């Protein structure tokens, strides 16, 4: 807080007459600093349904754990009589998103996974069931 006093006005007038930056009551100069830059926007990961029966067409991965399956706790709800209760799980870690197995072994880009597998932008996740399956695309959006 700066008080508008007679001494302050005199110091400002002297500084302006001298062509330098304004000085405060103690004689130190003040410089204007720009407001800090806004933090960069965080990109959000999404699962986009390419094929198959689900309750939505797109799913933001905003939780630490996303369950894919037919169970009531699943974020990505699969449809169909023979859909597994937990087909797969996507977990958010410090270094990215990882997919792990559930009741079925999902495929990432056509290859069955053997354990937690890091997802990269554009990866295609496939979960097969007796009567068809589901294909999801892993993408980032702003």
């Amino acid at each position: 807080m700066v008080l508008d006093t007679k001494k302050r006005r005199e110091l400002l007038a002297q500084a302006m007459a001298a062509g330098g930056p304004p000085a405060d009551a103690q004689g130190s100069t003040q410089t204007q600093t720009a407001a800090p830059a806004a933090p960069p926007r965080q990109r959000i990961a999404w699962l986009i349904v390419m094929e198959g029966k689900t309750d939505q067409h797109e799913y933001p991965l905003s939780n630490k754990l996303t369950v894919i399956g037919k169970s009531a706790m699943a974020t990505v709800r699969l449809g169909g009589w023979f859909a597994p209760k937990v087909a797969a799980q996507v977990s958010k870690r410090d270094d990215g998103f990882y997919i792990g197995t559930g009741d079925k072994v999902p495929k990432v880009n056509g290859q069955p996974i053997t354990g937690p597998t890091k997802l990269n932008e554009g990866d295609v996740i496939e979960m097969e069931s007796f009567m068809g399956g589901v294909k999801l695309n892993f993408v980032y959006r702003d």
Side-chain angles (χ1 to χ4, degrees):
M1 176 165 81
V2 177
L3 294 175
D4 187 22
T5 63
K6 183 177 179 183
K7 181 166 176 97
R8 172 134 178 96
R9 285 191 297 267
E10 289 172 3
L11 289 171
L12 286 172
Q14 288 174 0
M16 295 306 260
D24 63 14
Q26 287 79 30
S28 66
T29 58
Q30 294 179 345
T31 57
Q32 295 285 339
T33 57
R41 296 182 103 186
Q42 187 172 3
R43 298 181 74 201
I44 299 172
W46 289 75
L47 289 176
I48 311 298
V49 178
M50 299 169 65
E51 291 178 15
K53 292 182 182 180
T54 59
D55 63 337
Q56 296 178 38
H57 296 291
E58 300 178 342
Y59 298 90
L61 300 178
S62 54
N63 297 326
K64 285 209 166 259
L65 181 67
T66 300
V67 176
I68 303 169
K70 193 174 182 176
S71 98
M73 68 176 218
T75 305
V76 180
R77 298 286 306 268
L78 302 179
W81 286 90
F82 300 103
K85 288 192 182 236
V86 178
Q89 303 171 44
V90 178
S91 61
K92 182 179 181 179
R93 300 183 187 175
D94 290 338
D95 62 334
F97 289 85
Y98 287 78
I99 187 166
T101 61
D103 298 335
K104 298 283 184 178
V105 177
K107 294 180 182 177
V108 175
N109 298 326
Q111 300 297 317
I113 65 170
T114 57
T117 302
K118 186 172 183 181
L119 293 170
N120 298 305
E121 184 159 9
D123 282 349
V124 175
I125 302 163
E126 298 174 67
M127 283 155 289
E128 297 177 2
S129 67
F130 180 69
M131 297 293 290
V134 174
K135 244 186 215 185
L136 305 168
N137 190 10
F138 178 79
V139 296
Y140 285 99
R141 291 185 181 164
D142 290 329

